[in-house]
Amino acid sequence: MPGTPPTRFVYLGPEGTFTEQALRTIPAAERGIRTPARSVPEALEAVRSGEADAALVPLENSVGGAVPVTLDELGTGSPLVITREVVLPVEFVLGSASLTSLAAIRTVAAHPQASAQCRNWLRANLPDAVVVDMLSNAASAAAAAAGEYDAAICAPIGIPRNNLTVLAEKIADHADAVTRFALLSRPAPPAPPTGDDVTSLAVMIAHDRVGALLSVLTELAVRGINLSRIESRPTGEQLGVYVFFLDCTGHVAEPRLGEALQGLRRICAEVRFLGSYPRHRWSRQAQDEPLPTQPGLTNKDFADSAAWLARLRSGEPS
């Protein structure tokens, strides 16, 4: 991040959750002040008000999909920009206050999303246990540590925090499940391109115009820009009016993405820039290498053509 590095971080709490685990993979956050927030809006408001420098919140899960409250805050709240993404494997464990057999477990504390992602494992290994809904993975671990329930499904970080004993590891039904988190700050110039970046946008289009969404996609496609994600959310104004969230390959400082943004600005009712930031790279990702760019559609090609046009306009030989 350009300028003064952030030192005050807020994250979706409580402590001992996947969000804290993801935040602590960021060196500056590991050294800085970390404060849990009760909700995504509360975390982001701390950044908007200046109480915190940056906030880490969940953006999407490979099993459960997008996090609606985060998208709504990005699309309609006071502007914030993504400066970094963190992709964290979601590995649930079963913990207990003491070593015990699975056959002896009668009650399991779990956040509803956690129990849903471990449904098959629970059916196969704890068919008679009662799963009790908790407010968070951290609350589940704390309840098991206090002896309120026989065991808990929680994040690995919750085991040492609560002095629990691991009874089973990697119990999620989807072994490769991940959650993508976004580090958000107040608007500022983005860091320079790395050559493997993501640009996020929120766009509103005229819902009563034929081919409006196709026009948006065309602005990207004709410039060889890969659209890696598109998601829609209602604005709340009226039925049929949506905000579209786009993740594109490239950086706002690059000529071809800059041209695409100008094109979107011309045809869309509103375009909100949500940040250009390095793509998170991790070993499980099947497509870990940037997609090759078609001939004539590289950043150099766009820069050369812009320079050629400038020469024409100035009267220089082409």
Side-chain angles (χ1 to χ4, degrees):
M1 220 180 306
T4 305
T7 58
R8 301 169 301 160
F9 295 84
V10 64
Y11 64 95
L12 177 62
E15 296 180 354
T17 59
F18 284 111
T19 311
E20 185 193 5
Q21 188 174 330
L23 180 64
R24 299 191 70 160
T25 66
I26 301 173
E30 183 66 16
R31 296 188 300 266
I33 300 170
R34 300 178 300 276
T35 305
R38 291 172 296 181
S39 66
V40 169
E42 181 180 289
L44 300 187
E45 185 54 37
V47 178
R48 290 177 174 128
S49 67
E51 295 177 19
D53 300 319
L56 190 78
V57 294
L59 191 59
E60 62 175 325
N61 177 268
S62 61
V63 176
V67 179
V69 65
T70 301
L71 295 185
D72 292 343
E73 282 287 324
L74 291 177
T76 60
S78 298
L80 293 171
V81 292
I82 302 171
T83 58
R84 184 171 185 153
E85 66 174 4
V86 177
V87 178
L88 186 75
V90 178
E91 296 180 350
F92 290 106
V93 298
L94 185 73
S96 179
S98 61
L99 185 63
T100 185
S101 67
L102 295 183
I105 295 175
R106 293 291 177 264
T107 56
V108 178
H111 186 275
Q113 290 183 357
S115 58
Q117 293 192 42
C118 301
R119 184 181 295 111
N120 293 337
W121 188 93
L122 288 168
R123 185 183 297 117
N125 295 275
L126 298 174
D128 299 322
V130 176
V131 178
V132 182
D133 288 349
M134 305 296 289
L135 292 176
S136 68
N137 294 314
S140 301
E148 298 174 18
Y149 303 99
D150 297 333
I153 296 174
C154 62
I157 194 175
I159 296 296
R161 286 280 177 87
N162 296 276
N163 296 315
L164 296 177
T165 298
V166 176
L167 303 182
E169 294 182 294
K170 298 182 178 180
I171 64 174
D173 298 333
H174 298 274
D176 293 330
V178 297
T179 295
R180 179 185 176 214
F181 299 86
L183 186 68
L184 291 142
S185 300
R186 292 179 292 280
T194 67
D196 189 12
D197 300 292
V198 177
T199 291
S200 294
L201 308 167
V203 303
M204 286 188 62
I205 60 178
H207 69 286
D208 58 349
R209 183 164 62 83
V210 175
L213 180 56
L214 177 60
S215 298
V216 169
L217 302 180
T218 299
E219 291 292 337
L220 303 174
V222 297
R223 295 175 176 88
I225 296 171
N226 181 49
L227 181 64
S228 57
R229 174 174 165 268
I230 181 170
E231 192 94 22
S232 65
R233 289 288 298 162
T235 63
E237 297 176 3
Q238 66 183 70
L239 191 65
V241 180
Y242 296 91
V243 178
F244 289 88
F245 294 88
L246 313 178
D247 283 346
C248 314
T249 56
H251 193 283
V252 66
E254 296 168 346
R256 61 179 177 148
L257 188 58
E259 280 193 18
L261 290 179
Q262 292 181 69
L264 294 177
R265 178 68 178 84
R266 290 194 303 269
I267 65 173
C268 294
E270 181 182 350
V271 178
R272 178 174 287 199
F273 175 70
L274 299 180
S276 289
Y277 48 91
R279 184 168 69 98
H280 183 100
R281 301 175 68 84
W282 63 294
S283 59
R284 280 189 188 174
Q285 212 157 1
Q287 296 178 343
D288 210 23
E289 295 301 323
L291 293 173
T293 304
Q294 301 174 38
L297 295 177
T298 67
N299 288 317
K300 183 178 183 301
D301 293 328
F302 275 84
D304 288 346
S305 63
W308 173 79
L309 180 59
R311 290 195 300 272
L312 291 182
R313 287 172 171 172
S314 66
E316 296 179 27
S318 60

